[in-house]
Structure formats: structure tokens, C-alpha cells
Amino acid sequence: MEKFKKLLQQRYQLTDTRMLCALADSITFQHLDKDVKLIVEGETAANIYFLLSGIVRGFYYSENGKEITDCFVYESGDIIANDVPTNNAPSLITEETLVPCEIAALPINKIQELMSLYPEITQMYLQCLSLNLNRHREHKIALSRYCAATRYRWMKRTYPGLMDQVKKKHIASFLNITPQTMSNLRKRERTEQFGMASDTDHAGAK
């Protein structure tokens, strides 16, 4: 419990001790295995979730039933939610664990109550939504402006280390490229790195 409160303090600059206690007292901590659906497309979510550890993927289905990866949540303290908790609208995407995860669940009706009592919680949630909005905007810009190779480099830069932990097909879907293109880009990257290393070795030998 204290670890969770410290995480919120550091991540969102929350200072009201009473508010932190009220928030922590409303939380349920859960350990989830991989492939667990936290939020299902078309359903109204009862909770929002704080990710403590692990990786969660958000995805939706295309008209022909293909999964389209929309987002990844993998930083400790991130909120797993894609809607403002007061609109009661069905979720537009499914949120699923990719690896075993530790999460903290907070009932939506409880956060609504806490928002009315503590303005800092409203500010925290708006900060989370703003962060998610910016990530989605950057993602859409990358898909519309960049070629496949540039998208691949953009993701490595924007989501450091994530490519080594997530299935290739999910990364390819997120970047709107085929798994074969993904494999070719990774092979090209390894070739370029090997070539650069060889050149460096020759230069050092001189």
C-alpha cells in the first residue's frame, strides 16, 4: 500500500496525504496471468486500472475480424483506461495482458466520488488522458507520414526496450506493416550493426 502511494506521489506529484490514503483504501491489488482481458471492446468498464508492472496491449477488430494493435501500456503508474470515467460509454478497444501483470483496480464510481472531494485526483486523471492522447496522436502521425523503416525506428526510439518483450506480430500490427516486413527490417538492422562493428574493428586495427 505504501509503495503504491509513493508511486502516485512520484509519478503524478500528488501531495495531499488524506487524498492518497482515500485513494489507496479504494484500490484492489491483483496479479494477472498473461492473456487476461481487463477491458473488452463493446462493454462498459467497471474499473480503471493502474499498471504496477507488466505489459498490456490495447486492440480492436477490423471489419474482417483482424486484430489491430492500438496501444501499449508498460510504464509503472500508467492508467489502463481509454475513456473518461463519467461517460459510461462502451469501450472502443480491448485491453489485454501480454505478460503476467501486477495491477491496482479502482471502481469507476469510486473515482467519481473521490474527484468530487479531491481536485488533485481530477488533475491526475486529466494528466493521464492527456498523456494517452499525445501518444495516440504521435502514433497516428507516424502511421500516416513515415515509411515502414522510419516507423520501425520511431517505435524503437519512443518505446525503448518494448520490441524485445512483445511478439513480432503485435509490433507489426501497431506499425501497420506485415510480419514479413518486420522480419526484413530487423534483419537489415542487424546487418547494418554488424557492418558498422566490422568497420570499427578495421579502423582500430589501423
Side-chain angles (χ1 to χ4, degrees):
M1 190 69 72
E2 291 301 318
K3 185 177 180 180
F4 177 69
K5 288 193 287 187
K6 186 175 182 180
L7 172 63
L8 294 183
Q9 285 178 311
Q10 294 175 342
R11 182 70 189 272
Y12 300 109
Q13 294 78 52
L14 302 180
T15 58
D16 189 324
T17 304
R18 289 186 305 168
M19 179 271 296
L20 284 168
C21 289
L23 188 60
D25 288 344
S26 305
I27 286 288
T28 301
F29 296 95
Q30 300 176 17
H31 171 83
L32 301 178
D33 293 329
K34 63 177 297 187
D35 302 325
V36 173
K37 292 180 173 61
L38 287 168
I39 300 171
V40 178
E41 181 181 354
E43 296 183 2
T44 301
N47 301 297
I48 66 167
Y49 303 93
F50 292 90
L51 181 70
L52 306 181
S53 65
I55 305 172
V56 173
R57 178 178 74 111
F59 68 92
Y60 58 91
Y61 293 97
S62 66
E63 188 176 18
N64 62 5
K66 180 182 178 181
E67 290 184 6
I68 307 296
T69 300
D70 179 73
C71 62
F72 294 101
V73 182
Y74 71 109
E75 293 184 346
S76 181
D78 273 358
I79 280 183
I80 307 167
N82 63 323
D83 272 319
V84 180
T86 55
N87 64 6
N88 295 318
S91 176
L92 299 177
I93 64 174
T94 295
E95 302 274 7
E96 181 180 50
T97 61
L98 295 183
V99 298
C101 293
E102 301 292 336
I103 66 164
L106 178 63
I108 286 178
N109 60 356
K110 190 62 181 180
I111 197 172
Q112 291 170 349
E113 175 187 327
L114 293 174
M115 281 178 171
S116 67
L117 296 173
Y118 302 103
E120 271 192 301
I121 293 182
T122 301
Q123 295 171 8
M124 176 194 71
Y125 198 78
L126 290 176
Q127 180 182 344
C128 292
L129 291 178
S130 178
L131 175 62
N132 287 344
L133 178 62
N134 288 335
R135 286 175 174 169
H136 276 81
R137 182 184 296 114
E138 291 177 2
H139 179 220
K140 300 310 177 188
I141 289 174
L143 293 184
S144 62
R145 290 185 181 177
Y146 303 154
C147 68
T150 304
R151 275 179 250 160
Y152 177 83
R153 291 192 295 269
W154 166 82
M155 185 166 183
K156 290 203 70 173
R157 182 176 66 252
T158 307
Y159 297 84
L162 187 61
M163 282 188 172
D164 298 326
Q165 304 177 66
V166 176
K167 289 182 179 179
K168 183 174 63 177
K169 66 177 183 179
H170 295 328
I171 299 295
S173 174
F174 184 65
L175 295 177
N176 194 26
I177 59 178
T178 66
Q180 183 58 52
T181 298
M182 180 78 179
S183 294
N184 293 340
L185 289 170
R186 299 189 77 165
K187 288 177 183 177
R188 184 189 306 171
E189 180 183 47
R190 288 193 293 269
T191 299
E192 290 174 350
Q193 289 176 344
F194 179 79
M196 290 175 63
S198 297
D199 292 343
T200 302
D201 291 341
H202 288 311
K206 293 179 181 180

